[in-house]
Coordinates of all heavy atoms in Angstrom, one line a residue:
M1 N 100.5 123.8 105.3 CA 100.4 123.2 106.6 C 101.1 121.8 106.5 O 100.8 121.1 105.5 CB 99.0 123.2 106.9 CG 98.8 122.5 108.3 SD 97.1 122.7 108.9 CE 97.4 123.4 110.4
A2 N 101.9 121.4 107.5 CA 102.5 120.1 107.5 C 101.5 119.0 107.8 O 100.6 119.3 108.6 CB 103.7 120.2 108.5
R3 N 101.7 117.9 107.2 CA 100.9 116.7 107.4 C 101.3 116.1 108.7 O 102.4 115.9 109.1 CB 101.1 115.7 106.3 CG 100.0 115.0 105.9 CD 100.2 114.4 104.6 NE 99.8 113.0 104.6 CZ 99.8 112.2 103.7 NH1 100.4 112.5 102.6 NH2 99.3 111.0 103.9
K4 N 100.2 115.7 109.5 CA 100.4 115.0 110.8 C 101.0 113.6 110.6 O 100.5 112.8 109.8 CB 99.1 114.9 111.6 CG 99.3 114.4 113.0 CD 98.0 114.3 113.7 CE 98.3 113.6 115.0 NZ 97.0 113.2 115.6
Q5 N 102.2 113.4 111.3 CA 102.8 112.0 111.1 C 102.0 111.0 112.0 O 101.9 111.2 113.1 CB 104.3 112.1 111.6 CG 105.0 110.9 111.4 CD 105.3 110.5 110.0 OE1 105.2 111.4 109.1 NE2 105.4 109.2 109.6
G6 N 101.6 109.9 111.3 CA 100.8 108.9 112.0 C 101.7 107.8 112.7 O 102.9 107.8 112.5
N7 N 101.1 107.1 113.6 CA 101.8 106.0 114.2 C 102.2 104.9 113.2 O 101.4 104.7 112.2 CB 101.1 105.3 115.3 CG 100.8 106.4 116.4 OD1 101.6 107.2 116.7 ND2 99.6 106.2 117.1
M8 N 103.3 104.3 113.3 CA 103.7 103.3 112.3 C 103.9 102.0 113.0 O 104.3 102.0 114.2 CB 105.0 103.6 111.6 CG 105.0 104.8 110.7 SD 103.9 104.4 109.2 CE 105.0 103.4 108.3
P9 N 103.6 100.9 112.4 CA 103.8 99.6 113.1 C 105.3 99.2 113.1 O 106.1 99.8 112.5 CB 103.0 98.6 112.1 CG 102.9 99.2 110.8 CD 102.9 100.7 111.2
A10 N 105.6 98.2 113.9 CA 107.0 97.8 114.0 C 107.6 97.4 112.7 O 106.9 96.8 111.8 CB 107.1 96.6 115.0
K11 N 108.9 97.7 112.5 CA 109.6 97.5 111.2 C 110.1 96.0 111.3 O 111.3 95.8 111.5 CB 110.6 98.5 111.0 CG 110.2 99.9 110.9 CD 110.4 100.4 109.5 CE 110.0 101.8 109.6 NZ 109.7 102.5 108.3
N12 N 109.2 95.0 111.1 CA 109.7 93.7 111.1 C 109.2 93.0 109.9 O 108.5 93.5 109.0 CB 109.1 93.0 112.3 CG 107.6 93.0 112.5 OD1 106.9 93.1 111.5 ND2 107.1 93.0 113.7
K13 N 109.6 91.7 109.7 CA 109.2 90.9 108.5 C 107.7 90.7 108.3 O 107.2 90.5 107.3 CB 109.9 89.6 108.5 CG 111.4 89.7 108.3 CD 112.1 88.3 108.3 CE 113.6 88.5 108.1 NZ 114.3 87.3 108.0
K14 N 107.0 90.8 109.5 CA 105.6 90.5 109.4 C 104.9 91.8 108.7 O 103.9 91.6 107.9 CB 105.0 90.3 110.8 CG 103.5 90.1 110.8 CD 103.0 89.9 112.2 CE 101.5 89.9 112.3 NZ 100.9 89.9 113.6
N15 N 105.4 92.9 109.0 CA 104.8 94.2 108.6 C 105.3 94.8 107.3 O 104.6 95.5 106.6 CB 104.7 95.3 109.6 CG 104.0 94.8 110.9 OD1 103.0 94.0 110.8 ND2 104.3 95.3 112.0
F16 N 106.5 94.6 107.0 CA 107.2 95.1 105.8 C 108.0 94.2 105.0 O 108.5 93.3 105.5 CB 108.2 96.3 106.3 CG 107.5 97.5 106.8 CD1 107.2 97.6 108.2 CD2 107.1 98.5 106.0 CE1 106.7 98.7 108.7 CE2 106.5 99.6 106.5 CZ 106.3 99.8 107.9
R17 N 107.9 94.2 103.7 CA 108.6 93.3 102.8 C 110.0 93.7 102.7 O 110.4 94.9 102.9 CB 108.0 93.4 101.4 CG 106.6 92.9 101.3 CD 106.0 93.0 99.9 NE 104.6 92.7 99.8 CZ 104.2 91.4 99.9 NH1 105.0 90.5 100.0 NH2 102.9 91.3 99.9
S18 N 110.8 92.7 102.5 CA 112.3 93.0 102.2 C 112.4 93.6 100.9 O 111.5 93.6 100.0 CB 113.1 91.7 102.4 OG 112.8 90.9 101.3
T19 N 113.6 94.2 100.6 CA 113.8 94.9 99.3 C 113.7 93.7 98.2 O 113.2 94.0 97.1 CB 115.1 95.6 99.3 OG1 115.2 96.5 100.3 CG2 115.3 96.3 98.0
K20 N 114.3 92.5 98.5 CA 114.3 91.5 97.5 C 112.9 91.0 97.2 O 112.7 90.6 96.0 CB 115.2 90.3 98.0 CG 116.6 90.5 98.0 CD 117.3 89.2 98.4 CE 118.8 89.6 98.4 NZ 119.6 88.4 98.7
S21 N 112.0 91.1 98.1 CA 110.6 90.6 97.8 C 109.8 91.7 97.3 O 108.4 91.5 97.3 CB 110.0 89.9 99.1 OG 109.8 90.8 100.1
G22 N 110.3 92.9 97.1 CA 109.5 93.9 96.4 C 109.2 95.1 97.3 O 108.4 96.0 96.8
A23 N 109.7 95.2 98.5 CA 109.6 96.3 99.4 C 108.1 96.6 99.7 O 107.2 95.9 99.3 CB 110.2 97.6 98.8
G24 N 107.8 97.7 100.4 CA 106.4 98.0 100.7 C 105.8 97.2 102.0 O 106.6 96.4 102.6
M25 N 104.7 97.5 102.3 CA 104.0 96.9 103.5 C 103.2 95.6 103.0 O 102.7 95.5 101.9 CB 102.9 98.0 104.1 CG 103.6 99.0 104.8 SD 102.4 100.1 105.6 CE 102.3 99.5 107.2
T26 N 103.2 94.7 104.0 CA 102.4 93.5 103.9 C 100.9 93.8 104.3 O 100.6 94.9 104.8 CB 102.9 92.3 104.7 OG1 102.9 92.8 106.1 CG2 104.3 92.1 104.3
Q27 N 100.0 92.8 104.1 CA 98.7 93.0 104.4 C 98.6 93.1 105.9 O 97.8 93.8 106.5 CB 97.8 91.8 104.0 CG 96.4 91.9 104.2 CD 95.7 93.1 103.5 OE1 95.9 93.2 102.4 NE2 94.9 93.8 104.2
A28 N 99.4 92.3 106.6 CA 99.4 92.4 108.1 C 99.9 93.8 108.6 O 99.4 94.4 109.6 CB 100.3 91.3 108.8
G29 N 100.9 94.4 107.9 CA 101.4 95.7 108.2 C 100.3 96.7 107.9 O 100.1 97.7 108.8
V30 N 99.6 96.6 106.9 CA 98.5 97.6 106.7 C 97.4 97.5 107.8 O 96.9 98.5 108.2 CB 97.9 97.3 105.3 CG1 96.6 98.2 105.1 CG2 98.9 97.7 104.2
R31 N 97.1 96.2 108.2 CA 96.0 96.1 109.2 C 96.6 96.8 110.6 O 95.8 97.5 111.2 CB 95.8 94.6 109.5 CG 94.8 94.1 108.5 CD 94.3 92.6 109.0 NE 95.3 91.7 109.1 CZ 95.7 90.9 108.2 NH1 95.1 90.9 107.0 NH2 96.7 90.0 108.5
A32 N 97.8 96.5 110.8 CA 98.4 97.1 112.0 C 98.4 98.7 112.0 O 98.1 99.3 112.9 CB 99.9 96.6 112.2
Y33 N 98.8 99.2 110.8 CA 98.7 100.7 110.6 C 97.3 101.2 110.8 O 97.2 102.2 111.5 CB 99.2 101.1 109.3 CG 99.3 102.5 109.0 CD1 100.4 103.3 109.4 CD2 98.2 103.2 108.4 CE1 100.4 104.6 109.2 CE2 98.2 104.5 108.2 CZ 99.3 105.2 108.6 OH 99.3 106.6 108.4
R34 N 96.4 100.5 110.1 CA 94.9 101.0 110.3 C 94.4 100.9 111.6 O 93.6 101.7 112.0 CB 94.1 100.3 109.3 CG 94.5 100.6 107.8 CD 93.6 99.9 106.8 NE 92.3 100.6 106.7 CZ 91.5 100.3 105.9 NH1 91.6 99.3 105.0 NH2 90.2 100.9 105.8
S35 N 94.8 99.9 112.4 CA 94.5 99.9 113.9 C 95.0 101.0 114.6 O 94.4 101.6 115.6 CB 94.7 98.5 114.4 OG 96.1 98.4 114.6
M36 N 96.3 101.3 114.3 CA 96.9 102.5 115.1 C 96.4 103.8 114.6 O 96.6 104.8 115.3 CB 98.5 102.4 114.8 CG 99.1 101.2 115.5 SD 100.8 101.3 115.0 CE 101.5 100.0 115.9
N37 N 96.0 103.9 113.4 CA 95.5 105.2 112.8 C 94.0 105.1 112.3 O 93.8 104.8 111.1 CB 96.4 105.6 111.7 CG 97.8 105.8 112.2 OD1 98.1 106.9 112.7 ND2 98.6 104.8 111.9
P38 N 93.0 105.2 113.3 CA 91.7 105.0 112.9 C 91.3 106.1 111.8 O 91.7 107.2 111.8 CB 90.9 105.3 114.2 CG 91.8 105.1 115.2 CD 93.2 105.4 114.7
G39 N 90.5 105.6 110.8 CA 90.1 106.4 109.7 C 91.0 106.4 108.5 O 90.8 107.0 107.6
S40 N 92.1 105.7 108.7 CA 93.1 105.6 107.5 C 92.5 104.7 106.4 O 91.8 103.9 106.6 CB 94.4 104.9 108.1 OG 95.2 104.6 107.0
K41 N 92.8 105.0 105.2 CA 92.4 104.4 104.1 C 93.6 103.6 103.3 O 93.5 103.4 102.1 CB 91.7 105.3 103.0 CG 90.4 105.9 103.7 CD 89.8 106.8 102.7 CE 88.5 107.4 103.4 NZ 87.9 108.4 102.5
L42 N 94.7 103.3 104.0 CA 95.9 102.8 103.5 C 95.5 101.4 102.9 O 94.8 100.6 103.5 CB 97.0 102.7 104.6 CG 98.3 102.2 104.0 CD1 99.0 103.1 103.2 CD2 99.2 101.8 105.2
K43 N 96.1 101.1 101.7 CA 95.9 99.7 101.0 C 97.2 99.3 100.6 O 98.2 100.0 100.5 CB 94.9 100.0 99.9 CG 93.5 100.4 100.2 CD 92.7 100.6 99.0 CE 91.4 101.2 99.3 NZ 90.5 101.4 98.1
T44 N 97.2 97.9 100.3 CA 98.5 97.3 99.8 C 98.6 97.6 98.3 O 97.7 98.2 97.7 CB 98.5 95.8 100.0 OG1 97.3 95.3 99.4 CG2 98.4 95.5 101.5
A45 N 99.7 97.2 97.8 CA 100.1 97.5 96.4 C 99.1 96.8 95.4 O 98.6 95.7 95.7 CB 101.5 96.9 96.0
V46 N 98.9 97.3 94.3 CA 98.1 96.8 93.2 C 99.0 95.9 92.4 O 99.8 96.4 91.6 CB 97.5 97.8 92.3 CG1 96.7 97.1 91.2 CG2 96.5 98.7 93.0
V47 N 99.1 94.5 92.6 CA 100.1 93.7 92.0 C 99.5 92.8 90.9 O 100.3 92.4 90.0 CB 100.9 92.8 93.1 CG1 101.6 93.7 93.9 CG2 99.8 92.0 93.8
G48 N 98.2 92.6 90.9 CA 97.6 91.7 89.8 C 97.3 92.5 88.6 O 97.6 93.6 88.4
V49 N 96.5 91.8 87.7 CA 96.0 92.5 86.5 C 94.8 93.4 86.9 O 93.9 92.9 87.5 CB 95.6 91.5 85.4 CG1 95.0 92.1 84.3 CG2 96.7 90.5 85.1
A50 N 95.0 94.7 86.6 CA 93.8 95.5 86.9 C 93.1 96.0 85.6 O 93.8 96.2 84.6 CB 94.4 96.8 87.5
K51 N 91.8 95.9 85.6 CA 91.0 96.2 84.4 C 91.2 97.6 84.0 O 91.2 98.5 84.9 CB 89.5 95.8 84.8 CG 88.7 95.7 83.6 CD 87.3 95.3 84.1 CE 86.5 94.8 82.9 NZ 85.1 94.4 83.4
K52 N 91.4 97.9 82.8 CA 91.7 99.2 82.3 C 90.5 100.2 82.8 O 89.3 99.9 82.6 CB 91.8 99.2 80.8 CG 92.3 100.5 80.2 CD 92.6 100.4 78.7 CE 93.2 101.7 78.3 NZ 93.7 101.6 76.9
G53 N 90.9 101.3 83.4 CA 89.9 102.3 83.8 C 89.3 102.0 85.2 O 88.6 102.8 85.7
S54 N 89.7 100.8 85.8 CA 89.1 100.6 87.1 C 89.8 101.4 88.2 O 90.8 102.1 88.0 CB 89.3 99.0 87.4 OG 90.7 98.7 87.6
T55 N 89.2 101.3 89.4 CA 89.9 102.0 90.6 C 91.3 101.5 90.9 O 92.2 102.3 91.1 CB 89.0 101.8 91.8 OG1 87.7 102.2 91.5 CG2 89.5 102.6 93.0
R56 N 91.5 100.2 90.8 CA 92.8 99.7 91.0 C 93.8 100.1 89.9 O 95.0 100.5 90.2 CB 92.8 98.1 90.9 CG 92.1 97.5 92.1 CD 91.8 96.1 92.0 NE 92.9 95.3 91.6 CZ 93.8 94.8 92.4 NH1 93.7 95.0 93.8 NH2 94.8 94.0 92.0
A57 N 93.4 100.3 88.7 CA 94.3 100.7 87.6 C 94.6 102.3 87.8 O 95.8 102.6 87.6 CB 93.6 100.6 86.2
K58 N 93.6 103.0 88.3 CA 93.9 104.4 88.6 C 94.9 104.6 89.8 O 95.7 105.4 89.8 CB 92.6 105.1 88.9 CG 91.7 105.3 87.7 CD 90.3 105.9 88.0 CE 89.5 105.9 86.8 NZ 88.1 106.3 87.1
R59 N 94.7 103.7 90.8 CA 95.7 103.7 91.9 C 97.1 103.4 91.4 O 98.1 104.1 91.9 CB 95.3 102.7 93.0 CG 94.2 103.2 94.0 CD 94.1 102.2 95.1 NE 95.2 102.1 95.9 CZ 95.8 100.9 96.3 NH1 95.2 99.8 96.0 NH2 96.9 101.0 97.0
R60 N 97.2 102.4 90.6 CA 98.5 102.0 90.0 C 99.1 103.2 89.3 O 100.3 103.6 89.5 CB 98.4 100.8 89.2 CG 99.7 100.5 88.5 CD 99.6 99.3 87.6 NE 99.6 98.1 88.4 CZ 99.1 96.9 88.0 NH1 98.4 96.9 86.9 NH2 99.0 95.9 88.9
K61 N 98.4 103.8 88.4 CA 98.8 104.9 87.6 C 99.2 106.0 88.5 O 100.3 106.7 88.2 CB 97.8 105.4 86.6 CG 98.2 106.4 85.7 CD 97.1 106.8 84.7 CE 97.6 107.8 83.7 NZ 96.5 108.2 82.8
S62 N 98.5 106.3 89.5 CA 98.8 107.4 90.5 C 100.1 107.2 91.1 O 101.0 108.0 91.3 CB 97.7 107.6 91.4 OG 98.0 108.6 92.4
Y63 N 100.3 105.8 91.7 CA 101.5 105.5 92.4 C 102.7 105.6 91.5 O 103.7 106.1 91.9 CB 101.4 104.1 93.0 CG 102.7 103.7 93.6 CD1 103.1 104.1 94.7 CD2 103.6 102.9 92.8 CE1 104.4 103.8 95.3 CE2 104.8 102.5 93.3 CZ 105.2 103.0 94.6 OH 106.4 102.7 95.0
C64 N 102.6 105.0 90.3 CA 103.7 105.1 89.4 C 104.1 106.4 89.0 O 105.3 106.7 89.0 CB 103.3 104.3 88.1 SG 103.2 102.5 88.4
S65 N 103.2 107.4 88.8 CA 103.6 108.7 88.5 C 104.2 109.4 89.7 O 105.2 110.2 89.6 CB 102.5 109.5 87.9 OG 101.4 109.6 88.9
R66 N 103.7 109.2 90.9 CA 104.2 109.7 92.1 C 105.6 109.3 92.4 O 106.5 110.0 92.7 CB 103.3 109.4 93.3 CG 102.8 110.5 94.1 CD 101.9 110.1 95.3 NE 101.8 108.7 95.7 CZ 100.8 108.0 95.5 NH1 99.8 108.4 94.8 NH2 100.8 106.7 95.9
S67 N 105.8 107.9 92.3 CA 107.1 107.4 92.6 C 108.2 107.8 91.5 O 109.4 107.9 91.8 CB 107.1 105.9 92.7 OG 106.6 105.3 91.5
A68 N 107.7 108.0 90.2 CA 108.7 108.4 89.3 C 109.1 109.8 89.6 O 110.3 110.2 89.4 CB 107.9 108.5 87.9
G69 N 108.2 110.7 90.1 CA 108.6 112.0 90.6 C 109.7 112.0 91.7 O 110.6 112.7 91.7
Q70 N 109.4 111.0 92.7 CA 110.5 110.8 93.8 C 111.8 110.4 93.2 O 112.9 110.9 93.7 CB 109.9 109.8 94.7 CG 108.7 110.2 95.5 CD 109.1 111.3 96.5 OE1 110.1 111.4 97.2 NE2 108.2 112.3 96.5
M71 N 111.7 109.5 92.3 CA 113.1 109.0 91.7 C 113.8 110.1 90.9 O 115.0 110.3 91.1 CB 112.8 107.9 90.7 CG 112.5 106.6 91.3 SD 112.0 105.3 90.2 CE 113.2 105.5 88.8
K72 N 113.0 111.0 90.2 CA 113.6 112.1 89.5 C 114.1 113.1 90.5 O 115.2 113.6 90.4 CB 112.5 112.7 88.6 CG 113.0 113.8 87.8 CD 112.0 114.4 86.9 CE 112.5 115.5 86.0 NZ 111.5 116.0 85.0
M73 N 113.4 113.3 91.6 CA 113.9 114.3 92.6 C 115.2 113.9 93.3 O 116.0 114.7 93.6 CB 112.8 114.5 93.7 CG 113.0 115.5 94.8 SD 111.7 115.9 95.8 CE 111.5 114.4 96.7
H74 N 115.3 112.6 93.6 CA 116.5 112.0 94.2 C 117.5 111.5 93.3 O 118.5 110.9 93.7 CB 116.1 111.0 95.3 CG 115.1 111.4 96.4 ND1 115.7 112.3 97.3 CD2 113.9 111.4 96.6 CE1 114.7 112.6 98.1 NE2 113.6 112.0 97.8
N75 N 117.3 111.7 92.0 CA 118.3 111.3 91.0 C 118.6 109.8 91.0 O 119.7 109.4 91.1 CB 119.5 112.2 91.0 CG 120.3 112.2 89.8 OD1 119.8 111.8 88.7 ND2 121.5 112.5 89.9
I76 N 117.6 108.9 91.1 CA 117.8 107.5 91.2 C 117.4 106.9 89.8 O 116.5 107.2 89.1 CB 116.8 106.9 92.2 CG1 117.1 107.4 93.6 CG2 116.9 105.4 92.2 CD1 116.1 107.1 94.6
S77 N 118.4 106.0 89.4 CA 118.2 105.3 88.1 C 118.1 103.8 88.4 O 119.1 103.3 88.9 CB 119.3 105.6 87.2 OG 119.3 104.7 86.0
C78 N 117.0 103.2 88.1 CA 116.8 101.8 88.5 C 117.6 100.9 87.7 O 117.9 99.7 88.0 CB 115.3 101.4 88.4 SG 114.3 102.1 89.8
S79 N 118.0 101.3 86.5 CA 118.9 100.5 85.6 C 120.3 100.5 86.2 O 121.0 99.5 86.1 CB 119.0 101.1 84.2 OG 119.5 102.4 84.2
K80 N 120.8 101.5 87.0 CA 122.0 101.5 87.6 C 122.0 100.9 89.0 O 122.9 100.3 89.4 CB 122.6 103.0 87.7 CG 122.9 103.6 86.4 CD 123.3 105.0 86.5 CE 123.6 105.7 85.2 NZ 123.8 107.1 85.4
T81 N 121.0 101.2 89.7 CA 120.8 100.7 91.2 C 119.5 100.0 91.3 O 118.6 100.5 92.0 CB 121.0 101.9 92.1 OG1 120.0 102.9 91.8 CG2 122.3 102.5 92.2
P82 N 119.3 98.7 90.8 CA 118.1 98.0 90.9 C 117.7 97.6 92.3 O 116.6 97.2 92.6 CB 118.2 96.9 89.9 CG 119.7 96.7 89.9 CD 120.3 98.0 90.1
D83 N 118.7 97.6 93.2 CA 118.4 97.1 94.6 C 117.9 98.2 95.5 O 117.6 97.9 96.7 CB 119.7 96.5 95.2 CG 120.8 97.5 95.2 OD1 120.9 98.4 94.4 OD2 121.8 97.3 95.9
K84 N 117.7 99.4 95.1 CA 116.9 100.4 95.9 C 115.5 100.0 96.2 O 114.9 99.4 95.3 CB 117.0 101.7 95.2 CG 118.4 102.3 95.0 CD 118.7 103.3 96.0 CE 119.9 104.0 95.7 NZ 120.4 104.8 96.8
R85 N 115.0 100.5 97.3 CA 113.6 100.1 97.7 C 112.6 100.7 96.8 O 111.6 99.9 96.4 CB 113.3 100.5 99.2 CG 114.0 99.8 100.2 CD 113.6 100.1 101.6 NE 112.2 99.7 101.9 CZ 111.8 98.4 102.2 NH1 112.8 97.5 102.4 NH2 110.6 98.1 102.5
I86 N 112.8 101.9 96.2 CA 111.8 102.5 95.3 C 111.8 101.7 94.1 O 110.7 101.5 93.5 CB 112.2 104.0 95.1 CG1 111.2 104.7 94.3 CG2 113.5 104.2 94.4 CD1 109.9 105.1 95.0
C87 N 112.9 101.2 93.6 CA 113.0 100.3 92.3 C 112.3 99.0 92.6 O 111.5 98.6 91.7 CB 114.4 100.2 91.9 SG 115.3 101.7 91.6
A88 N 112.5 98.4 93.8 CA 111.8 97.1 94.0 C 110.3 97.4 94.1 O 109.5 96.5 93.6 CB 112.4 96.5 95.3
A89 N 109.9 98.5 94.8 CA 108.4 98.7 94.9 C 107.8 99.0 93.5 O 106.8 98.5 93.2 CB 108.2 99.9 95.8
R90 N 108.5 99.7 92.7 CA 108.0 100.0 91.3 C 107.8 98.8 90.5 O 107.0 98.6 89.8 CB 108.8 101.1 90.7 CG 108.6 102.4 91.2 CD 109.5 103.4 90.5 NE 109.4 103.4 89.0 CZ 108.5 104.1 88.4 NH1 107.6 104.9 89.0 NH2 108.4 104.1 87.0
R91 N 108.8 97.9 90.7 CA 108.7 96.6 89.9 C 107.5 95.8 90.5 O 106.8 95.1 89.7 CB 110.0 95.7 90.2 CG 111.1 96.0 89.3 CD 112.2 94.9 89.3 NE 112.6 94.6 90.7 CZ 113.6 95.3 91.3 NH1 114.3 96.3 90.7 NH2 114.1 95.0 92.5
R92 N 107.2 95.8 91.7 CA 106.1 95.1 92.3 C 104.8 95.6 91.9 O 103.8 94.9 91.6 CB 106.3 95.1 93.8 CG 105.2 94.3 94.6 CD 105.7 93.9 96.0 NE 104.6 93.1 96.6 CZ 103.6 93.6 97.3 NH1 103.5 94.9 97.4 NH2 102.7 92.7 97.7
W93 N 104.8 97.0 91.8 CA 103.5 97.6 91.3 C 103.4 97.5 89.8 O 102.4 98.0 89.2 CB 103.5 99.1 91.7 CG 103.1 99.5 93.1 CD1 103.8 99.3 94.2 CD2 101.9 100.0 93.4 NE1 103.1 99.7 95.3 CE2 101.9 100.1 94.9 CE3 100.7 100.3 92.8 CZ2 100.9 100.7 95.5 CZ3 99.6 100.9 93.5 CH2 99.7 101.0 94.9
K94 N 104.4 97.0 89.0 CA 104.5 96.9 87.6 C 104.4 98.2 86.9 O 103.6 98.5 86.1 CB 103.3 96.0 87.1 CG 103.4 94.5 87.6 CD 102.3 93.8 87.0 CE 102.3 92.3 87.5 NZ 101.8 92.0 88.8
C95 N 105.3 99.2 87.3 CA 105.4 100.4 86.8 C 106.3 100.4 85.6 O 107.3 99.8 85.7 CB 105.9 101.5 87.8 SG 104.8 101.8 89.2

């Protein structure tokens, strides 16, 4: 069964980071998304030091493995094209 597409906030500098600054949503963007989609559990990236085995560390590990699969599926190499959004996001998540 297909997943229902939720409402997304405006694609502006307030809600989304540029590729140079690490891609992904800002805290304001996450708040806007959650207000448009009640019940959402969307969170921002885990960018700081996460204690080993903590929930944040598990989120990071999960994101890193998911995004690695996306890179493999789309044949993206971050060493060749470091300016891609997925590569910037993975750097920000410290993958």
Side-chain angles (χ1 to χ4, degrees):
M1 178 173 234
R3 216 166 134 178
K4 184 181 174 194
Q5 185 67 31
N7 296 330
M8 289 294 286
K11 301 247 182 198
N12 57 29
K13 289 182 181 180
K14 180 182 174 191
N15 295 333
F16 291 90
R17 295 180 187 284
S18 67
T19 305
K20 285 185 179 180
S21 66
M25 289 181 98
T26 61
Q27 185 63 46
V30 170
R31 276 194 303 269
Y33 180 86
R34 291 180 78 175
S35 70
M36 291 176 173
N37 299 281
S40 170
K41 295 179 182 176
L42 184 69
K43 296 178 183 178
T44 57
V46 177
V47 294
V49 177
K51 199 173 195 179
K52 193 170 184 172
S54 67
T55 305
R56 290 168 51 86
K58 290 175 186 174
R59 276 188 65 226
R60 174 180 284 154
K61 185 176 180 182
S62 175
Y63 172 78
C64 290
S65 60
R66 233 180 13 255
S67 61
Q70 289 294 315
M71 285 176 40
K72 187 175 179 181
M73 182 172 67
H74 295 290
N75 200 20
I76 296 171
S77 171
C78 288
S79 59
K80 293 178 185 174
T81 54
D83 55 338
K84 294 259 186 194
R85 287 189 72 81
I86 187 81
C87 299
R90 284 178 55 84
R91 274 194 307 274
R92 185 158 182 270
W93 278 79
K94 297 181 177 80
C95 291

